[in-house]
Amino acid sequence: MSAPVDPDRHIPVLIDEVLDALAINPGEVHVDGTFGAGGYSSAMVGKGAKVFAFDRDPDAIREGQALADEKGIALIAGEFSRMEELLAQRGVTSVAGVTLDIGVSSMQLDRAERGFSFQGDGPLDMTMSQSGMSAADFLNNAPEQEIADVLYRYGEEPRSRRVAKAIVEARPLERTGQLASVVRRALGHKPHDKKDPATRTFQAIRIHVNRELEELERGLEAAEAILEEGGRLAVVTFHSLEDRIVKQFLRNRSGGEAGGSRHLPQKKLGPAPTFEKPAKAVRPGEAELARNPRARSATLRSAIRTSAPVATRSPRS
């Protein structure tokens, strides 16, 4: 079994900026949607918040329990998209802040046995919850066209068809090293290349297997529903697909869609905005990038909840 991550050595991305956006008042109830190594939760407690933290990764729950107990954090096993339901079971119906740190954690990337990274050879798993369809299940059973679609949609891989064809021809695939080699051969790889060509494929498969974009969409809706008037939402994303979803959500919910022409009929007014105008997007500075290169693609978006009621939400699938 891997050793637990030391929270003192794990500094979350954009932590100071996230805390500024949350503007925590002592005694407030806050949600950390992705506990991970506990960095955000610990920082929130340090500002006087009562924290309910979620994680769907059993490793994070098991290894984080001692820290949670020490800090007084309520650690909950489950997806952050279910925060309404899981908090209601604990008598909590509204909170002052919700923080979501989207994507794969350093803990998951650094452990070859989890299968998220091609930096070390491990089983082709990639499941955050350690249950359900694995990356190997998908790649060894899905039709070639479906694999190509996933690589193009979630990895923005321009040569997705070539990679999908190579994957199908190489079946069965069971190890991350195998998959990385197949992708590199299909796309061509030189040791001095700045970015490994397997990066996009691994990202796409991970997002698909864990339904990460659907989880993000539902998590934003859940945060909107549970935030009290004046409550703060802070979301850190790590690639354009996630950031686009957050940006569009906040634009829609703040009434920020582009206005029509004065020469055309006035559009019918929609629901009252549930968020104030979002703050300007924040990205890491040079000091943080020097300390943590993985922060280079991070973006923080935040907004404040209004008193408007939530519109009808789509049912869970």
Side-chain angles (χ1 to χ4, degrees), residues 144 161-171 173 182-183 186:
E144 182 177 321
R161 292 182 181 179
R162 179 185 297 184
V163 176
K165 185 174 187 293
I167 286 171
V168 169
E169 290 175 350
R171 288 171 172 172
L173 294 169
V182 168
V183 177

Side-chain angles (χ1 to χ4, degrees), residues 150-171:
V150 164
L151 299 185
Y152 185 78
R153 184 180 308 123
Y154 298 140
E156 300 178 294
E157 171 54 69
R159 292 178 285 179
S160 58
R161 292 182 181 179
R162 179 185 297 184
V163 176
K165 185 174 187 293
I167 286 171
V168 169
E169 290 175 350
R171 288 171 172 172

Side-chain angles (χ1 to χ4, degrees), residues 12-306:
V13 173
L14 293 168
I15 182 60
D16 292 335
E17 294 82 354
V18 167
L19 290 175
D20 285 345
L22 293 176
I24 295 170
N25 294 308
E28 287 183 337
V29 176
H30 281 251
V31 167
D32 179 0
T34 40
F35 180 77
Y40 286 113
S41 288
S42 296
M44 292 176 198
V45 169
K47 294 291 185 179
K50 165 63 178 175
V51 177
F52 289 86
F54 293 80
D55 209 297
R56 56 171 159 169
D57 187 334
D59 283 356
I61 296 295
R62 183 179 62 255
E63 296 172 17
Q65 194 60 62
L67 174 66
D69 291 343
E70 175 192 337
K71 301 283 188 179
I73 299 163
L75 186 54
I76 302 171
E79 298 93 341
F80 59 68
S81 62
R82 297 176 59 216
M83 68 177 79
E84 263 189 291
E85 165 199 349
L86 296 174
L87 287 176
Q89 293 172 4
R90 293 158 174 81
V92 178
T93 56
S94 67
V95 300
V98 173
T99 301
L100 304 177
D101 174 19
I102 308 304
V104 66
S105 73
S106 296
M107 294 168 63
Q108 292 162 335
L109 282 172
D110 291 341
R111 297 178 178 181
E113 68 270 19
R114 298 298 303 276
F116 285 98
S117 173
F118 49 79
Q119 299 300 330
D121 185 50
L124 202 49
D125 186 356
M126 299 195 196
T127 57
M128 291 182 177
S129 64
Q130 299 185 39
S131 63
M133 178 180 67
S134 69
D137 293 335
F138 170 63
L139 293 175
N140 291 325
N141 294 288
E144 182 177 321
Q145 185 58 54
E146 183 181 352
I147 295 173
D149 289 346
V150 164
L151 299 185
Y152 185 78
R153 184 180 308 123
Y154 298 140
E156 300 178 294
E157 171 54 69
R159 292 178 285 179
S160 58
R161 292 182 181 179
R162 179 185 297 184
V163 176
K165 185 174 187 293
I167 286 171
V168 169
E169 290 175 350
R171 288 171 172 172
L173 294 169
E174 302 295 340
R175 308 285 295 181
T176 56
Q178 284 179 281
L179 175 60
S181 295
V182 168
V183 177
R184 289 167 186 153
R185 284 197 301 270
L187 297 180
H189 176 52
K190 301 178 182 63
H192 62 269
D193 286 348
K194 193 170 183 180
K195 186 174 183 179
D196 194 304
T199 302
R200 291 185 295 269
T201 292
F202 271 70
Q203 171 187 297
I205 295 167
R206 188 202 82 219
I207 289 173
H208 175 67
V209 165
N210 294 290
R211 300 185 66 184
E212 290 179 39
L213 301 189
E214 294 93 330
E215 173 72 3
L216 172 56
E217 289 169 349
R218 295 187 183 281
L220 291 169
E221 291 183 346
E224 176 188 36
I226 202 168
L227 279 169
E228 63 190 31
E229 180 181 358
R232 285 79 70 195
L233 172 65
V235 187
V236 178
T237 60
F238 288 88
H239 61 73
S240 60
L241 295 175
E242 300 165 343
D243 183 52
R244 200 174 302 143
I245 289 172
V246 179
K247 182 179 180 180
Q248 188 63 42
F249 175 85
L250 291 177
R251 179 183 292 164
N252 288 344
R253 297 307 206 268
S254 63
E257 292 291 1
S261 167
R262 63 187 176 90
H263 301 293
L264 295 175
Q266 188 69 31
K267 286 185 178 180
K268 184 180 178 181
L269 292 176
T274 52
F275 283 93
E276 297 178 10
K277 182 180 178 181
K280 185 178 179 181
V282 178
R283 294 179 176 85
E286 291 183 8
E288 179 159 8
L289 292 175
R291 183 176 68 245
N292 180 13
R294 284 180 180 170
R296 67 185 179 278
S297 57
T299 301
L300 165 65
R301 293 189 185 273
S302 61
I304 297 174
R305 185 72 166 83
T306 68

